[in-house]
Amino acid sequence: MSFPTDLQIARGASLKPIEGVAEQMGLGPHLIEPYGRDVVKIRLEAIDELADRPKAKYVVVSAVTPTPLGEGKTTTTVGLAQAMKHIGRQAVVAVRQPSMGPTFGIKGGAAGGGYAQVVPMETLNLHLTGDFHAVTAAHNMLSALVDNHLHQGNPTGLDPHSIIWRRVLDVNDRALRNVIVGLGTHVDGEPRQTGFDITAASEVMAIFALARSVQDMRERFARVVVGYTAAGDPVTAEDIGGAGAMAVIMREALKPNLLQTLENTPVLVHAGPFGNIAHGNSSVVADLVGIRGGDYLITEAGFGADMGAERFFNIKCRASGLTPDAAVVVATVRALKAHSGRFTIAPGKPLPPELLAESPDDVHAGAANLRKQIENIRLHGVSPVVAINAFPEDHASEHEAIRQIAESIGARAAVCTHFADGGKGATELAEAVAEAAEEPSNFRLLYPDSASLREKIETVATEVYGAEGVDYDRKAARELDRHERNGFGNLPVCIAKTHLSISSDSSLKGAPTGWRLPVREVRTSVGAGFIYPICGDMRTMPGLGATPSAHSIDIDADGEIEGLS
Amino acid sequence: MSFPTDLQIARGASLKPIEGVAEQMGLGPHLIEPYGRDVVKIRLEAIDELADRPKAKYVVVSAVTPTPLGEGKTTTTVGLAQAMKHIGRQAVVAVRQPSMGPTFGIKGGAAGGGYAQVVPMETLNLHLTGDFHAVTAAHNMLSALVDNHLHQGNPTGLDPHSIIWRRVLDVNDRALRNVIVGLGTHVDGEPRQTGFDITAASEVMAIFALARSVQDMRERFARVVVGYTAAGDPVTAEDIGGAGAMAVIMREALKPNLLQTLENTPVLVHAGPFGNIAHGNSSVVADLVGIRGGDYLITEAGFGADMGAERFFNIKCRASGLTPDAAVVVATVRALKAHSGRFTIAPGKPLPPELLAESPDDVHAGAANLRKQIENIRLHGVSPVVAINAFPEDHASEHEAIRQIAESIGARAAVCTHFADGGKGATELAEAVAEAAEEPSNFRLLYPDSASLREKIETVATEVYGAEGVDYDRKAARELDRHERNGFGNLPVCIAKTHLSISSDSSLKGAPTGWRLPVREVRTSVGAGFIYPICGDMRTMPGLGATPSAHSIDIDADGEIEGLS
């Protein structure tokens, strides 16, 4: 008998009434609002009401630099949380909401996998409670107000060519990347070139993920820069008259969503900002609730530790004021073998057969990446724990090789089999995380607000990425000067680069040295509160393949969903 | 003290627990799913489970040809339903969900008004349970699949210039009416001109409003025509591989939403198709539930009786199989005075002072419109009742004039003051409706499926609109021939014309005669199941004014919404 599919496992789950899951976090009925049978939203009053409860240990799950297949970070996050119950502790999970659009492209469901999943998976992967739809609506309402502003006489003197506020949709639609709007007659607006990004890439998404309250969200919307005057002065969403209405559209969305794992562990699913042009972490408000909801709050940061974890520390923790106690670095045999540089892994293709042969040497040959990502955690004063995420094709000697690499630099490590075994497959990891979190936290931000933007970029590039330095294109240098002049120099930086290498060149594996970070341009998310230098081609609107999964997603004769993996 | 605003009245409402409202309709806890505190969705199993309960009398609320200000049709629908309780009967309301986008333009909330409102009004006017967002997502996923189909080799031979499937967003954004997509490089799709409509204008909206079950909806999506081959053969959503995924996206949305009036009458709010290019009625499934939920099911049809009621009879009742027992025609003093042709009423401007002077003669001078709309109800074998919707500036003699017009042709009439007085202000109307509904129904469709498209158009034009005949542009004639050839000739017609006149010329008041209906083109909603001839300029994407209401909508210091009227 073959291993059941994720959907089969999810359908067989025994869900606990979600009100009971909430109760377990200290959330009484007056603090929750049901959405369907298996999901509740949590009122933000919970943050104050729970303030007297003990604070959970705060654990972030990161990874080595992943292959294009991903290394099971969400699965490990869920498995670790499930395992806590097996060692007598209570955990709360906080993860991003997956985008619905890509579900109809090539991506499978983003709810973990195997026996470490968030359920109900159909709800999670489709609309959930509509938060992404609210982001789409708030974003595009500001877009309409911007074009209307031009149409109605342009009182701020907004330069149409300077407009950086595009439109968004949660769909994989390459034809929307570059569009001309405003065609027709004089009543149909002003023609100009612009485009659409996927909703996850909206600054509204990043703002809602970083806001601490409705009022804070409202103030961040006010600061959104939509473009510039001819003189180079920023024009904001407040200037355009859209910030208040955006807050009204997003008011309900700011309440975190509560679901559960297959083993009934509470899971906060909230916000889903992009991992390259944004910070790639779930919401601050969810963590402010979850930090009072159990013994451990376990959250996930996108991509490898150089990406998601660095932003988790320097952007999200800076915004939330919360202090992490431990960080998990998920490592897989296939990823370390790939970091040897001896194999090529491509999405949608089978693994090369020679990669599947037992070879601890190949694992050791990729050790530099794991060592550097462990160091990236330690740079922030946090205790790392290596989670060796086991796959069926692995060999014990290869797991042992990963353990040796970790322990050779003093990091804890544990093999885990939560995909096949659920929480009981990750108890060794849970014990290791519990130990690491007991160590005193020396958490530190990598740079102060007061450093210049160039200093911030150079600190991340050299200390985290291992670059020898940073090269700025003329355009990037000009933009940095302008951003400093406009008073944005105090913001943290979110460096948009490939997630497939610690460097900015996706073909370089391991822990590349002897390279310089090329910054082509420097964009802003002033409302969200970060500057994002662009180092490479960042695609913010995916396309569909020749055979998108939409073709095989359908309802069956009983009205049940089929084809959602 | 001035009369309180709608928002003030709505905030002061004493809501009954929505589970109790559902119970009153026979909907036990297993048939409902909560969405927030005050709204539930109703499982479609309810249709079968309630089949043994007595069938309600089915009442549609229509109107005289409205002024641009509207004549209070939703308010009367709500007021009449509230009044039923005052005369010892139990009513259920079924109305369309308002679009969110226009709420940030000029339009006020669409939840009735005064003491005849649907609550909670903020929920109703913002996202509700996300059904419109689901329509947007399902529609645009098919759009992305269409462009991807072109990009991936165009296996069906779809002619890019023939594509009729555009994109939609629930926002007032004139700049999106006409766009070019697919710019950039060869990986960014195929450049072509297209555009966006507001979500209410989506065929997905019309389909979801007319479907009788999830399976029926799935089959309607399959039949959607997205464009044609060079040979003129239709290419469908099924051919493109999108119909199943659309059904998955829309599965939850098909469950009707239950809210309540200020007096705790159950209100089904479900779907919101456009009133000119679509049929403008709330959903069939809501009515299939509501028809077993009380003594009266009271629903509303958009615009005047020539528009919404005609489509209600010939499109919606044809799809649902339900038989109406009575029809209310809402009439106002200002509308009948406007139909005298002696006054001009413009949106956003005060009423002309001479219209406010007491003048039953001016009312009588507009009588032809009311008489024709009463006749339009009788054409379908249904008993009409005239609701004289009182405004503060009216005079009793003018109400009496309307009553005389109605009674002179044997129709019941009643003055109602539900706006100021709630249900107790509409008890006379409720009694009249109850009497009318007791008369045996002679309901008949205006034309059989088997009539040709030209015969159907001509029947509506001459019998309902009072035209002398129909003139087809060459393009329209060619399209009619093509639609018949493609097997769409059996569908009913939904004639898209101005709602401000019974004729196709919005400046003609009363009941115009001696004119011919000009048909410019003939479009299809094959999935929804109707053909729509275009007679005039139909705007399917609104714009924003110089001072959109978005500018004054905000959250206050307590996080409450302000500025939503």
Side-chain angles (χ1 to χ4, degrees):
Chain A
M1 202 191 82
S2 64
F3 197 79
T5 67
D6 287 358
L7 185 57
Q8 285 167 340
I9 295 172
R11 288 250 171 90
S14 170
L15 271 69
K16 180 170 165 176
I18 193 68
E19 296 75 14
V21 177
E23 186 63 46
Q24 176 183 331
M25 292 177 64
L27 298 164
H30 65 293
L31 291 174
I32 59 175
E33 298 173 358
Y35 277 74
R37 293 282 170 108
D38 302 312
V39 178
V40 294
K41 273 193 171 286
I42 301 171
R43 294 192 168 185
L44 296 183
E45 291 84 337
I47 296 172
D48 285 341
E49 277 204 33
L50 271 49
D52 294 336
R53 286 171 53 102
K55 207 168 186 173
K57 294 290 183 184
Y58 192 35
V59 179
V60 62
V61 176
S62 183
V64 298
T65 300
T67 70
L69 309 178
E71 306 317 310
K73 205 157 64 259
T74 306
T75 307
T76 304
T77 303
V78 173
L80 169 60
Q82 292 183 157
M84 285 294 178
K85 192 153 68 175
H86 295 263
I87 67 165
R89 314 292 173 86
Q90 189 180 315
V92 173
V93 177
V95 290
R96 284 182 287 174
Q97 178 180 342
S99 286
M100 185 170 79
T103 301
F104 297 96
I106 52 166
K107 159 174 156 313
Y115 288 93
Q117 289 188 59
V118 181
V119 283
M121 80 95 94
E122 291 105 322
T123 308
L124 179 67
N125 280 294
L126 295 173
H127 310 280
L128 194 55
T129 58
D131 298 346
F132 275 37
H133 294 318
V135 170
T136 303
H139 186 115
N140 293 330
M141 198 201 49
L142 181 58
S143 309
L145 287 168
V146 167
D147 273 291
N148 192 53
H149 188 85
L150 297 179
H151 187 70
Q152 305 285 356
N154 194 6
T156 64
L158 174 63
D159 172 9
H161 294 99
S162 80
I163 296 172
I164 54 179
W165 192 260
R166 293 159 46 99
R167 286 173 176 82
V168 299
L169 273 181
D170 188 8
V171 63
N172 285 18
D173 192 347
R174 68 168 67 73
L176 290 179
R177 286 175 191 151
N178 302 289
V179 306
I180 295 175
V181 299
L183 299 172
T185 72
H186 70 283
V187 299
D188 301 318
E190 314 309 305
R192 65 184 186 88
Q193 187 164 352
T194 178
F196 284 71
D197 302 314
I198 195 165
T199 297
S202 167
E203 187 176 346
V204 175
M205 183 70 84
I207 288 172
F208 135 71
L210 287 167
R212 296 173 54 95
S213 66
V214 172
Q215 293 300 341
D216 181 25
M217 181 171 72
R218 168 69 179 81
E219 288 162 19
R220 288 171 189 263
F221 287 146
R223 292 196 291 269
V224 163
V225 174
V226 300
Y228 294 86
T229 65
D233 296 324
V235 176
T236 66
E238 190 71 33
D239 297 333
I240 297 293
M246 293 167 81
V248 167
I249 293 175
M250 288 296 297
R251 191 178 69 143
E252 297 303 309
L254 194 62
K255 300 172 181 169
N257 307 296
L258 180 65
L259 288 80
Q260 60 188 292
T261 72
L262 289 171
E263 299 183 13
N264 313 126
T265 314
V267 183
L268 299 162
V269 180
H270 204 214
F274 246 42
N276 46 38
I277 63 145
H279 64 294
N281 298 148
S282 57
S283 84
V284 163
V285 286
D287 285 5
L288 292 175
V289 171
I291 201 73
R292 304 291 178 178
D295 303 316
Y296 296 89
L297 172 60
I298 302 174
T299 189
E300 181 193 346
F303 302 141
D306 57 315
M307 301 282 289
E310 186 273 310
R311 289 120 190 253
F312 171 78
F313 296 135
N314 294 301
I315 297 177
K316 187 180 178 187
C317 292
R318 194 183 295 260
S320 71
L322 295 175
T323 303
D325 296 290
V328 173
V329 179
V330 176
T332 60
V333 169
R334 73 181 182 201
L336 290 204
K337 285 184 175 177
H339 282 297
S340 71
R342 297 172 186 168
F343 310 96
T344 303
I345 298 180
K349 292 195 183 151
L351 289 172
E354 55 279 18
L355 184 144
L356 298 176
E358 177 167 6
S359 172
D361 276 359
D362 286 338
V363 173
H364 277 288
N369 187 273
L370 175 56
R371 281 197 300 265
K372 179 58 184 146
Q373 298 291 30
I374 291 172
E375 181 189 320
N376 286 341
I377 301 297
R378 287 179 167 152
L379 274 175
H380 297 88
V382 176
S383 300
V385 178
V386 175
I388 304 165
N389 186 20
F391 281 67
E393 61 269 26
D394 295 349
H395 302 87
S397 63
E398 297 170 332
H399 291 157
E400 191 52 34
I402 300 178
R403 189 190 298 272
Q404 286 167 8
I405 298 162
E407 292 180 349
S408 73
I409 55 169
R412 291 177 177 84
V415 177
C416 39
T417 61
H418 43 268
F419 187 94
D421 302 321
K424 68 177 186 293
T427 51
E428 187 196 347
L429 176 64
E431 299 279 10
V433 167
E435 281 175 29
E438 284 310 315
E439 293 175 359
S441 175
N442 298 308
F443 176 64
R444 68 177 192 91
L445 299 173
L446 207 58
Y447 49 78
D449 290 354
S450 60
S452 72
L453 293 175
R454 283 178 175 80
E455 287 166 345
K456 289 168 184 168
I457 295 168
E458 283 154 28
T459 299
V460 176
T462 56
E463 296 190 26
V464 177
Y465 302 162
E468 291 192 343
V470 180
D471 295 326
Y472 301 98
D473 282 8
R474 283 170 75 102
K475 176 170 159 54
R478 217 166 43 228
E479 288 169 339
L480 278 167
D481 293 342
R482 186 173 70 176
H483 299 328
E484 295 274 7
R485 209 163 52 232
N486 282 325
F488 309 147
N490 62 320
L491 297 175
V493 295
C494 179
I495 300 177
K497 69 164 186 70
T498 178
H499 63 281
L500 295 172
S501 171
I502 302 185
S503 78
S504 59
D505 177 349
S506 63
S507 69
L508 300 180
K509 299 301 163 195
T513 53
W515 62 280
R516 298 179 64 81
L517 182 74
V519 177
R520 289 195 296 119
E521 51 177 319
V522 183
R523 300 188 195 164
T524 59
S525 283
V526 178
F530 55 77
I531 300 296
Y532 60 105
I534 304 283
C535 311
D537 288 323
M538 292 300 126
R539 181 155 287 169
T540 49
M541 174 53 92
L544 293 169
T547 312
S549 62
H551 288 180
S552 48
I553 293 175
D554 210 332
I555 47 165
D556 66 17
D558 301 322
E560 292 295 313
I561 295 170
E562 59 184 27
L564 205 64
S565 61
Chain B
M1 205 190 78
S2 64
F3 198 79
T5 67
D6 287 356
L7 185 57
Q8 285 166 339
I9 294 171
R11 287 250 171 89
S14 171
L15 271 67
K16 180 170 166 177
I18 192 70
E19 296 76 12
V21 177
E23 187 61 46
Q24 177 183 330
M25 291 177 63
L27 298 165
H30 66 292
L31 291 174
I32 58 175
E33 299 174 358
Y35 277 74
R37 295 282 170 106
D38 302 313
V39 179
V40 295
K41 272 192 171 286
I42 300 171
R43 295 191 168 186
L44 296 183
E45 291 85 336
I47 296 172
D48 285 341
E49 277 204 34
L50 270 50
D52 293 337
R53 286 171 53 102
K55 207 167 188 174
K57 294 289 182 183
Y58 192 34
V59 179
V60 62
V61 176
S62 183
V64 297
T65 300
T67 70
L69 309 178
E71 307 316 311
K73 206 158 60 260
T74 306
T75 307
T76 303
T77 304
V78 173
L80 168 61
Q82 292 182 157
M84 285 294 178
K85 192 154 67 177
H86 295 263
I87 65 163
R89 313 292 174 86
Q90 190 180 314
V92 173
V93 177
V95 289
R96 284 182 289 174
Q97 178 180 341
S99 285
M100 185 171 79
T103 301
F104 297 96
I106 52 166
K107 157 176 157 311
Y115 288 94
Q117 289 188 60
V118 182
V119 283
M121 81 94 94
E122 292 105 320
T123 308
L124 179 67
N125 281 294
L126 296 173
H127 311 280
L128 194 52
T129 59
D131 298 346
F132 275 37
H133 294 318
V135 170
T136 303
H139 186 117
N140 293 329
M141 198 201 48
L142 181 58
S143 309
L145 287 169
V146 167
D147 273 292
N148 192 53
H149 189 84
L150 297 179
H151 187 69
Q152 306 285 356
N154 194 6
T156 63
L158 174 63
D159 171 10
H161 293 98
S162 79
I163 296 173
I164 54 179
W165 193 260
R166 293 158 46 99
R167 287 174 174 79
V168 299
L169 272 180
D170 188 8
V171 63
N172 285 19
D173 192 347
R174 67 169 66 74
L176 291 179
R177 285 174 193 154
N178 302 288
V179 306
I180 295 174
V181 299
L183 299 173
T185 72
H186 69 284
V187 300
D188 300 318
E190 315 310 305
R192 65 183 186 88
Q193 186 163 352
T194 178
F196 285 70
D197 301 315
I198 195 165
T199 297
S202 167
E203 186 177 346
V204 175
M205 183 70 84
I207 288 173
F208 133 73
L210 287 167
R212 295 173 56 96
S213 66
V214 171
Q215 293 300 343
D216 182 26
M217 180 172 71
R218 168 69 179 82
E219 288 161 21
R220 287 170 188 264
F221 287 147
R223 293 196 290 269
V224 162
V225 174
V226 300
Y228 294 86
T229 65
D233 295 324
V235 176
T236 65
E238 190 71 33
D239 297 333
I240 299 291
M246 293 167 81
V248 167
I249 293 176
M250 288 296 297
R251 191 178 67 143
E252 297 304 309
L254 194 62
K255 300 173 180 168
N257 307 296
L258 180 65
L259 288 80
Q260 60 188 291
T261 72
L262 290 171
E263 299 182 13
N264 314 125
T265 313
V267 183
L268 299 163
V269 180
H270 204 216
F274 246 43
N276 45 38
I277 63 145
H279 63 294
N281 297 150
S282 57
S283 83
V284 164
V285 286
D287 285 4
L288 292 176
V289 170
I291 201 72
R292 304 291 179 178
D295 303 314
Y296 295 90
L297 172 60
I298 301 173
T299 189
E300 181 192 347
F303 302 141
D306 57 315
M307 302 281 290
E310 186 273 310
R311 289 118 190 255
F312 170 79
F313 296 135
N314 294 300
I315 298 177
K316 187 180 179 187
C317 292
R318 192 183 296 259
S320 71
L322 294 175
T323 303
D325 297 291
V328 173
V329 178
V330 176
T332 60
V333 169
R334 73 181 180 202
L336 289 204
K337 285 185 177 178
H339 282 297
S340 72
R342 297 172 185 168
F343 309 96
T344 303
I345 297 181
K349 294 198 182 147
L351 289 172
E354 56 279 18
L355 183 145
L356 298 176
E358 178 168 4
S359 173
D361 276 358
D362 287 337
V363 173
H364 278 288
N369 186 270
L370 174 57
R371 280 196 300 261
K372 177 62 184 144
Q373 298 292 29
I374 290 171
E375 181 190 321
N376 286 340
I377 301 298
R378 287 181 168 153
L379 273 175
H380 297 88
V382 177
S383 300
V385 178
V386 175
I388 303 164
N389 186 20
F391 281 66
E393 62 269 25
D394 294 349
H395 302 86
S397 62
E398 298 170 330
H399 292 157
E400 192 51 34
I402 299 179
R403 189 190 298 270
Q404 287 166 7
I405 298 163
E407 293 179 349
S408 72
I409 54 170
R412 292 178 176 83
V415 177
C416 39
T417 61
H418 44 269
F419 186 95
D421 301 322
K424 69 175 186 294
T427 51
E428 186 196 348
L429 176 63
E431 299 279 10
V433 167
E435 281 175 28
E438 284 310 315
E439 293 176 358
S441 176
N442 299 308
F443 176 63
R444 69 176 192 95
L445 299 173
L446 206 57
Y447 48 78
D449 290 354
S450 59
S452 72
L453 293 175
R454 281 178 177 80
E455 286 166 347
K456 290 168 182 168
I457 296 168
E458 284 154 27
T459 300
V460 176
T462 56
E463 297 191 25
V464 178
Y465 303 162
E468 293 193 342
V470 180
D471 294 326
Y472 301 99
D473 281 8
R474 281 170 76 102
K475 177 168 159 52
R478 219 167 40 229
E479 289 169 339
L480 278 168
D481 293 341
R482 187 173 69 176
H483 300 327
E484 296 273 7
R485 210 164 49 234
N486 282 325
F488 309 148
N490 63 320
L491 297 175
V493 295
C494 180
I495 299 177
K497 69 163 186 71
T498 179
H499 62 282
L500 296 172
S501 172
I502 302 185
S503 77
S504 58
D505 177 349
S506 62
S507 70
L508 300 180
K509 300 301 163 194
T513 52
W515 60 282
R516 298 179 64 83
L517 182 74
V519 177
R520 289 196 295 117
E521 50 177 320
V522 183
R523 300 189 195 163
T524 61
S525 283
V526 177
F530 54 78
I531 300 295
Y532 60 105
I534 304 283
C535 311
D537 289 323
M538 291 301 125
R539 180 156 285 169
T540 50
M541 173 55 92
L544 293 169
T547 312
S549 62
H551 288 180
S552 48
I553 292 175
D554 209 332
I555 48 165
D556 66 17
D558 300 321
E560 293 295 313
I561 295 170
E562 59 184 26
L564 206 64
S565 60

